[in-house]
C-alpha cells in the first residue's frame, strides 16, 4: 500500500468547494489533508473561513486544521459571487455554525512552514479559489516553489471562454496578478478549466445517486448542489450546473478520467476588456515555455461515480 498523498486544500467555499473537500475526506487511504487554507473569493474571508469549518464538522473532521488567509486580492478590490453561492456562500442546507476554532497564524505561513517542514516534492497544493494565498507564499518564501510536488488548480478557461466576464473565469478574474505570479513561478501545474468543468453537470440522475446514500454529508451535499445549480441552469439552460472544484481532487485519485496536454498559459493582467483571461497556447503556435498541463476532456460518468462512491465512505 502506497503512502496517502499529502495535500493542502486552498479554498473559498462555495458549494462546489465543499464537494471537493468531501471527496478528499472520503478518500482517506489515498489522501492526507495536511490542512485547509481559506481565501476571499466566492464570499468574503470571514465566511469562507466559517464555511471551511462547517464542512469539516459536517464530515466529523474536527481534526483538520483550518487557517484563514488573504482577505483581498494582491492589488485589486475583491469581487465576490453571492449571486451564485448565496449570501453565506454555502446556501442550501441548514447547517449549524462551526464550533471548531480557526488555527492561530496566517494561511500563507502555514503553506510556507508545511512545504519547508515536509520532505521536498511530497506536498501537493490543491487550489479551488483565487490564487492569492499561493502567490503571497511564493513571494514571501521563493525557496518553497521547488518543494511543491504539484499544484492542481481549478481555474481559467479557453475554448469555453469565461464565466464572470466573456473572457475570464472567476478564480483567475478575482486575482489575476496572483495567477500571473503562480503561472510564472515554475511550479508543476495541472489546470482544470471551464473546458472540463462545463462537461460535469449535476444532472438529476447523478444528484439522485448521491441522495440515495442517505447520510448526513450526502444529504447536505445534495441541498448544496440543488441551490448551487439554479444559477447555471438559468444562465446556460443546461441540465444541471457545472461541478468545478472536485475535478482537482478527482485528478489525484483517478487522473485517467481526464485528458489534456502540456501548454503555455499566460494571464491577461492589463486590458480591462480581457483581464483575468487564461491565454492557452493549445495549438503550440508560440515557442513560449509549456508551464501547465491543461485539461480539456473528462469522463463525466466516471467522475460522478467516483464522487458518489467516495461520499459514501465519509
Ligand atoms: O469559476 C468557478 C470557480 O469559482 C469555482 O472554484 C467556484 O467555487 C468559484 O470559486
Ligand atoms: Ca471555489
Amino acid at each position: 500500500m502506497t503512502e496517502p498523498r499529502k495535500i493542502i486544500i486552498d479554498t473559498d467555499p462555495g458549494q462546489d468547494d465543499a464537494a471537493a473537500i468531501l471527496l478528499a475526506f472520503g478518500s482517506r487511504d489515498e489522501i492526507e489533508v495536511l490542512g485547509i487554507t481559506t481565501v476571499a473569493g466566492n464570499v468574503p474571508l470571514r465566511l469562507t473561513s466559517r464555511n471551511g469549518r462547517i464542512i469539516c464538522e459536517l464530515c466529523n473532521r474536527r481534526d483538520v486544521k483550518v487557517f484563514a488567509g488573504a482577505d483581498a486580492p494582491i492589488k485589486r478590490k475583491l469581487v465576490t459571487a453571492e449571486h451564485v453561492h448565496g449570501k453565506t456562500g454555502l446556501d442550501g442546507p441548514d447547517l449549524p455554525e462551526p464550533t471548531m476554532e480557526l488555527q492561530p497564524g496566517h494561511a500563507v505561513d502555514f503553506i510556507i512552514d508545511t512545504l519547508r517542514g515536509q520532505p521536498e516534492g511530497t506536498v501537493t497544493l490543491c487550489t479551488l479559489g483565487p490564487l492569492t494565498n499561493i502567490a503571497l507564499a511564493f513571494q514571501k518564501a521563493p525557496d518553497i516553489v521547488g518543494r511543491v510536488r504539484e499544484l492542481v488548480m481549478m481555474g481559467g478557461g479557453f475554448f469555453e471562454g469565461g464565466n464572470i466576464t466573456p473572457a475570464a473565469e472567476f478564480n483567475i478574474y478575482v486575482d489575476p496578478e496572483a495567477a500571473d505570479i503562480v503561472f510564472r513561478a515554475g511550479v508543476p501545474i495541472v489546470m482544470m478549466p471551464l473546458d472540463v468543468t462545463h462537461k460535469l453537470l449535476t444532472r438529476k440522475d447523478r444528484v439522485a445517486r448521491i441522495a440515495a446514500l442517505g447520510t448526513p454529508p450526502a444529504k447536505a451535499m445534495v441541498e448544496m448542489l440543488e441551490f448551487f445549480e439554479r444559477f447555471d441552469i438559468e444562465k446556460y439552460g443546461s441540465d444541471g450546473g457545472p461541478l468545478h472544484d472536485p475535478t482537482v481532487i478527482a485528478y489525484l485519485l483517478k487522473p485517467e478520467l481526464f485528458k489534456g496536454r502540456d501548454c503555455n498559459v499566460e494571464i491577461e493582467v492589463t486590458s480591462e476588456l480581457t483581464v483575468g483571461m487564461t491565454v492557452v497556447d493549445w495549438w503550440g503556435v508560440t515557442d513560449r515555455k509549456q508551464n501547465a498541463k491543461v485539461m480539456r476532456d473528462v469522463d463525466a460518468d466516471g467522475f460522478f461515480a467516483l464522487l458518489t462512491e467516495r461520499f459514501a465512505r465519509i
Side-chain angles (χ1 to χ4, degrees), residues 63-92:
D63 60 297
V64 176
K65 296 187 177 74
V66 181
F67 293 82
D71 63 1
I74 285 180
K75 76 171 230 190
R76 294 173 187 266
K77 197 169 160 313
L78 178 63
V79 170
T80 52
E82 287 86 351
H83 60 290
V84 179
H85 299 275
K87 64 178 177 9
T88 72
L90 214 53
D91 284 26

Side-chain angles (χ1 to χ4, degrees), residues 12 16-17 42 85 128-129 154 163 169-171 194 244-245:
D12 64 334
D16 62 316
D17 302 66
N42 284 321
H85 299 275
L128 314 178
M154 189 279 139
N163 59 2
E169 177 278 326
F170 180 80
N171 286 339
L194 298 179
H244 307 286
D245 291 340

